[in-house]
Amino acid sequence: ARVEIDGKMMSPPEISAQVLLKLQRAAENYLGEKVTDAVITVPAYFNDAQRQATKDAGRIAGLDVLRLVNEPTAAALAYGLDKRKEGIVAVYDFGGGTFDISILRLHDGIFEVLATHGDTHLGGDDIDNLLLRIALEDVASEWGEDLSENNEAIQRLRRAVIEAKHQLSTLPSAHIELEFLGRRYRRELTRELFDRLITPIIDRTLQPCRLAMADASVTPEQIDAVVLVGGSTRIPLV
């Protein structure tokens, strides 16, 4: 596969290398010193070819890739769960665009991935798009004007619904507001209504969880800890 960017044909590892270079620069700016080595996290379901492509990306970026670590293992390490001697850990990773669930077994400080499932097209973006669709219908009803083809209006409204979503993680209600072409749209969104609207989206994460537990041959009662990863897990309903 090749993608043309600024007149240059680039492979997926070359594009990934640009991401790694950006991260390398960010780390160097933060640490105030040169960064040459890297440990890179990858989804647990990556196959050998995908893992090799990730190593290639690191090499193209000029990094010495010391090892690749499964993302759920990295999450468990970040939360200090390797301090336990034994146990079974579920890592529920609900981000902007993807959902992953992994079941890990910890034995003498070593993590083993027992099972992993997920949906590569499920995440916070689905919640944003749902709220955006409702807001556009509201605006069309109030203003008698369809803004669904107006890119500037959609970007402003998308920012407004994302801001409201973030506020509802800590507040009982929030407002979706848009000022555009001399007009003003404002709607209150309560936590209760928000939960009702997004329940079908959150429910879609449950089946992969059941499948992962079945593949790992564990019951919910056997899971000692759950790690919530990804911005969308800040939603109280999750």
Side-chain angles (χ1 to χ4, degrees):
R2 291 286 188 279
V3 179
E4 186 176 339
I5 300 175
D6 291 338
K8 181 185 177 186
M9 299 304 291
M10 299 184 73
S11 67
E14 287 174 317
I15 296 170
S16 185
Q18 294 298 315
V19 178
L20 293 171
L21 279 168
K22 171 72 174 173
L23 292 170
Q24 180 190 27
R25 283 196 294 270
E28 289 176 342
N29 290 338
Y30 181 80
L31 297 169
E33 57 185 278
K34 190 78 177 154
V35 172
T36 56
D37 300 342
V39 176
I40 303 175
T41 62
V42 293
Y45 56 79
F46 259 25
N47 60 31
D48 288 344
Q50 290 167 311
R51 289 169 192 271
Q52 185 57 52
T54 304
K55 287 182 180 177
D56 292 344
R59 180 177 46 76
I60 294 167
L63 293 165
D64 181 14
V65 180
L66 303 179
R67 65 178 294 193
L68 301 182
V69 178
N70 287 325
E71 286 169 355
T73 301
L77 291 170
Y79 280 84
L81 296 183
D82 55 317
K83 303 295 187 290
R84 295 167 171 255
K85 278 293 178 191
E86 307 283 338
I88 294 176
V89 178
V91 179
Y92 181 104
D93 186 349
F94 194 30
T98 62
F99 169 70
D100 296 296
I101 175 74
S102 301
I103 311 293
L104 312 179
R105 176 185 284 128
L106 174 64
H107 180 67
D108 287 336
I110 304 297
F111 283 104
E112 174 193 0
V113 179
L114 297 180
T116 183
H117 266 278
D119 187 332
T120 54
H121 299 286
L122 175 63
D125 292 348
D126 295 286
I127 294 170
D128 301 343
N129 291 334
L130 172 65
L131 296 179
L132 179 62
R133 201 161 58 243
I134 292 169
L136 283 170
E137 289 171 2
D138 264 6
V139 170
S141 176
E142 279 186 26
W143 296 2
E145 186 175 353
D146 180 12
L147 296 180
S148 61
E149 298 299 319
N150 188 309
N151 287 337
E152 184 184 351
I154 285 176
Q155 287 308 314
R156 286 192 190 186
L157 203 48
R158 183 178 293 279
R159 281 198 296 272
V161 301
I162 291 172
E163 178 63 26
K165 178 183 75 171
H166 289 170
Q167 289 177 0
L168 287 169
S169 289
T170 53
L171 301 173
S173 67
H175 287 92
I176 300 171
E177 299 187 44
L178 172 70
E179 288 195 18
F180 191 66
L181 299 179
R183 288 175 164 181
R184 190 162 187 260
Y185 163 75
R186 192 171 193 264
R187 171 181 175 148
E188 183 183 30
L189 185 61
T190 64
R191 170 91 61 79
E192 184 183 2
L193 175 58
F194 177 65
D195 286 352
R196 275 208 313 276
L197 290 171
I198 68 170
T199 291
I201 295 171
I202 306 303
D203 282 351
R204 284 173 57 193
T205 67
L206 299 180
Q207 184 60 13
C209 292
R210 295 187 185 101
L211 291 171
M213 285 189 291
D215 285 354
S217 300
V218 299
T219 63
E221 294 76 21
Q222 291 174 293
I223 294 173
D224 302 297
V226 177
V227 178
L228 298 178
V229 186
S232 296
T233 60
R234 294 172 183 267
I235 296 170
L237 181 64
V238 174

